[in-house]
Every structure is written in C-alpha cells, then in structure tokens.
C-alpha cells in the first residue's frame, strides 16, 4: 500500500487553540512525512488574552514539531472566523493550490495507514465522479461491510478525510439549494428511512433559517447527498478524535471513549461493486446519530396513543 517513506499527497491541518492535541496530531503526521503540509490557524476572539496565548502556543508547537523535509504553507488569521467561515476558507485556500488532498483538524489523531489509504483512493477515484469523499472514521463497531478494505456510504465523516478540488468546488456553504430540495421533496428519493430523513431535514432547515450550529460539515453532507455522492468508509477505524474536552467547539459536553484504530492491511482490497451499503448506514444512524433512541421514543408514544384511544373507546361504550 505504501509507495515510499514520504507521502506525496498534500495535507491540510486546521488549527485553533489546542497546543497539546496539535502536538500529538503532528507526531502522527510525522510518521508518514508528507512532502507538502498546509496549515491554517484561526485567530483568538477579540479581548480573550488566554485564548490568544493558546493560539500562539499552538503555532509555536507546529513550528517546533514539523522537523522533517517538508514544504510548509501557512494561513494565519488575525481575527476569529469561527468554524463555518474559518474551516471553509481554509479548505478553499487549500484547493486553490492543489487538486486533491487530505484534510485534518487539530484533534484528528490518525493511524499511519489513514494517509496511505487516502493517497491510494484519491488516485483510484480521481476521475470517477460517483465518489465524493473519503473518510477515515468507521462507526461500525467491528462489523465488516462487504468484501473489501472499505465500503461505500452516503454520509461523509470529517474526522480526517480527503476529497478532490472538483468535488469541493460544488460545496454549498450557505445551503442555498435547500429551499428547492425541500419543496421538491428530493430527500424522499435519497432516504428510505423516514426517521433518518426527518433528522437531516431538521438539521438543514435549522441551519438554513438560523445559521446554527457554526460549522462547515453539515454543508458538505448536504452537498454530497444532493449530488448522490458515494462516500468511502474504511472497514477498520483509522482516526481517533482526541478533542472531547473544554477547549472543543462542538464536542466539549459529550462523553465518549477514544475509538480504537487498527491497520487497514498491507494492501487495499477494493470492493467488487459500487453501491451504498444501506445496512451500514442504518447502523451508523441508529447508534451514532441517535436514530435508535428516536425510534424507541416514537414507538413508546405510538403505543401510549393507542392505549389512550382504546381506553376512550371502552369508556364511550359504557
């Protein structure tokens, strides 16, 4: 799977205020020694001295730890742009310079195989517009899907991922197409599961109307969905998210165990067929996006309504 000791594929690392996590992430990147590394760092919020110091220290960590033969290209923001604008701008900037690449955040701790996995599949599917994104995260809890080293899903996972410039240029950052998608009920054709469809419709409606949460990844999910894009998912988890703490933007209140990572193998085995694995997608939705909990609540509510209706019918007969 590895072509040489140095990764040829460009890597984008987005940073903010987490020097300790950043150090660990760079140590993992150092294992594959990418020849070209793009670093985009968001600025501290106005008047926040503690945050300013953390951002400064994060940048210093990068300059110290990136000590292999590598071209480093910097983009440092003087002000705080937030997750939506900051990360979107960083990826736009990245693809102003490259045609394909790997994208990581400062809490994405990668197995070395992740980088070679992305490099091989970026090349394989470079001109295959059916594939839109390559994920490093696997949410199947050890369940192997299909007959290859990876399978195809429909929801892009962005804790370490890769894509191509020509796919990313379609990213609908403001979700401007949402009213049309909603009016034409396009998601009725995309989702067979009503609960999953309602879940994503609620997310996109809230984002379009209120602009919350301040993130960039929901727009990428939306873009991949409306383009019927296939998402590559490894059958072995290749990414740990180490950012579940007080300095996180969206994950500080969640309690989670660090996911185990493991090698994808010496060679990438490609699936025989290209189709979305609906069983894998359902499992991921049920156990990682709260689908099972929603189903249980709806079932309880439905049974309660039926019970009340029966009791009312009995009372009316008396």
């Amino acid at each position: 799977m590895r072509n040489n000791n140095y990764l040829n594929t460009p890597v984008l690392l987005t940073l903010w205020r987490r020097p300790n996590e950043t150090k660990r992430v760079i140590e993992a990147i150092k294992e594959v020694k990418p020849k070209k590394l793009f670093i985009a760092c968001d600025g501290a919020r106005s008047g926040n001295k503690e945050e300013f110091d953390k951002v400064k220290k994060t940048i210093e960590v990068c300059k110290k730890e990136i000590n292999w033969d590598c071209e480093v290209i910097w983009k440092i923001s003087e002000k705080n742009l937030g997750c939506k604008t900051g990360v979107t701008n960083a990826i736009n900037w990245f693809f102003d310079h490259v045609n394909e690449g790997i994208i990581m955040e400062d809490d994405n701790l990668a197995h070395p195989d992740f980088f070679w996995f992305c490099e091989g599949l970026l090349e394989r599917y470079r001109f295959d517009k059916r594939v839109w994104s390559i994920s490093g995260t696997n949410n199947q809890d050890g369940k192997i899907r299909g007959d290859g080293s990876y399978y195809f899903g429909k929801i892009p996972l962005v804790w370490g991922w890769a894509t191509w410039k020509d796919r990313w240029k379609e990213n609908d950052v403001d979700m401007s197409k949402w009213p049309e998608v909603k009016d034409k009920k396009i998601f009725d054709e995309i989702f067979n599961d009503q609960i999953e469809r309602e879940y994503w419709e609620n997310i996109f409606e809230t984002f379009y109307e209120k602009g919350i949460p301040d993130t960039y990844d929901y727009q990428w999910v939306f873009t991949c969905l409306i383009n019927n894009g296939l998402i590559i998912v490894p059958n072995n988890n290749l990414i740990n998210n180490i950012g579940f703490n007080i300095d996180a933007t969206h994950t500080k209140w969640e309690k989670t165990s660090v996911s185990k990572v493991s090698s994808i193998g010496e060679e990438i085995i490609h699936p025989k067929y290209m189709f979305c694995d609906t069983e894998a997608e359902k499992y991921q939705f049920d156990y990682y996006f709260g689908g099972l909990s929603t189903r249980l609540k709806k079932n309880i509510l439905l049974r309660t309504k039926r019970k009340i209706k029966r009791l009312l019918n009995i009372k009316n007969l008396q």
Side-chain angles (χ1 to χ4, degrees):
M1 183 165 62
R2 302 187 182 196
N3 296 322
N4 49 50
N5 293 326
Y6 283 84
L7 186 77
N8 290 313
T9 303
V11 176
L12 168 65
L13 177 59
T14 62
L15 312 173
W16 188 24
R17 59 178 186 182
R18 295 193 281 201
N20 296 330
E21 290 83 354
T22 298
K23 184 176 186 297
R24 294 178 62 190
V25 169
I26 291 177
E27 286 172 352
I29 294 174
K30 193 183 300 185
E31 292 289 317
V32 299
K33 300 180 177 64
K35 293 180 179 179
K36 185 171 287 190
L37 183 60
F38 291 77
I39 300 178
C41 186
D42 201 3
R45 286 170 290 192
S46 179
N48 193 324
K49 176 64 166 58
E50 180 182 1
E51 196 166 272
F52 178 86
D53 291 340
K54 286 183 177 180
V55 171
K56 182 180 178 181
K57 188 174 181 181
T58 300
I59 294 171
E60 290 172 351
V61 163
C62 287
K63 292 180 177 179
K64 179 180 179 182
E65 297 299 325
I66 300 170
N67 52 19
W68 64 94
D69 185 14
C70 174
E71 180 184 1
V72 183
I73 302 96
W74 287 87
K75 178 182 175 64
I76 301 175
S77 178
E78 295 297 324
K79 61 180 182 178
N80 182 259
L81 300 175
C83 187
K84 174 190 172 184
T85 302
V87 178
T88 300
N89 286 357
I91 300 174
N92 290 342
W93 166 71
F94 182 50
F95 285 121
D96 283 341
H97 294 82
V98 304
N99 291 320
E100 60 192 37
I102 297 168
I103 300 156
M104 304 187 70
E105 298 178 31
D106 53 13
D107 57 4
N108 301 156
L109 188 62
H111 188 285
D113 283 4
F114 164 73
F115 300 97
W116 307 111
F117 178 74
C118 289
E119 181 162 89
L121 296 179
L122 282 169
E123 179 180 2
R124 181 179 179 86
Y125 295 103
R126 184 173 295 149
F127 304 111
D128 191 335
K129 298 297 182 64
R130 292 173 294 179
V131 181
W132 276 63
S133 194
I134 302 167
S135 297
T137 305
N138 174 286
N139 290 330
Q140 300 299 310
D141 297 322
K143 293 176 175 60
I144 302 300
R145 306 295 185 177
D147 54 7
S149 303
Y150 58 95
Y151 68 89
F152 296 98
K154 66 174 177 281
I155 302 297
L157 308 171
V158 295
W159 289 353
W161 60 291
T163 192
W164 302 263
K165 178 179 182 175
D166 60 358
R167 276 69 145 190
W168 176 256
K169 73 177 183 180
E170 303 297 329
N171 185 49
D172 189 0
V173 64
D174 294 314
M175 229 171 277
S176 60
K177 296 183 180 70
W178 170 242
E180 180 184 0
V181 170
K182 178 183 175 182
D183 291 344
K184 292 184 177 179
K185 300 186 182 300
I186 291 174
F187 276 10
D188 288 0
E189 303 298 323
I190 296 175
F191 293 100
N192 295 323
D193 183 346
Q194 179 183 346
I195 292 175
E196 185 176 12
R197 174 177 57 77
E198 290 174 351
Y199 171 86
W200 286 110
E201 285 177 342
N202 288 335
I203 283 177
F204 297 145
E205 178 72 12
T206 300
F207 186 90
Y208 181 79
E209 292 294 338
K210 301 179 181 179
I212 55 176
D214 178 25
T215 189
Y216 81 97
D217 54 342
Y218 284 157
Q219 301 94 303
W220 182 233
V221 172
F222 177 73
T223 300
C224 291
L225 285 173
I226 64 174
N227 284 282
N228 201 30
L230 290 173
I231 311 302
I232 290 173
V233 184
N235 261 318
N236 296 68
N237 186 44
L238 300 175
I239 298 287
N240 278 342
N241 188 305
I242 57 173
F244 289 83
N245 55 46
I246 196 169
D247 281 334
T249 302
H250 300 299
T251 56
K252 68 181 68 177
W253 303 118
E254 295 184 30
K255 294 182 179 180
T256 184
S257 59
V258 175
S259 301
K260 292 182 179 179
V261 297
S262 59
S263 174
I264 203 73
E266 288 298 318
E267 298 292 334
I268 299 177
I269 301 171
H270 304 290
K272 291 180 182 178
Y273 306 105
M274 290 182 66
F275 63 91
C276 176
D277 192 318
T278 54
E279 286 189 14
E281 287 292 296
K282 183 178 184 300
Y283 184 90
Q284 177 174 266
F285 175 66
D286 279 353
Y287 293 97
Y288 285 84
F289 290 91
L292 185 60
S293 175
T294 302
R295 293 183 207 283
L296 292 173
K297 289 177 182 177
K298 286 200 170 189
N299 287 337
I300 291 171
L301 181 61
L302 181 61
R303 287 198 300 268
T304 301
K305 287 181 177 179
R306 286 173 177 172
K307 185 176 181 180
I308 292 172
K309 186 176 181 180
R310 284 198 302 269
L311 290 172
L312 289 173
N313 288 337
I314 292 171
K315 184 175 180 181
N316 290 333
L317 291 173
Q318 291 176 345

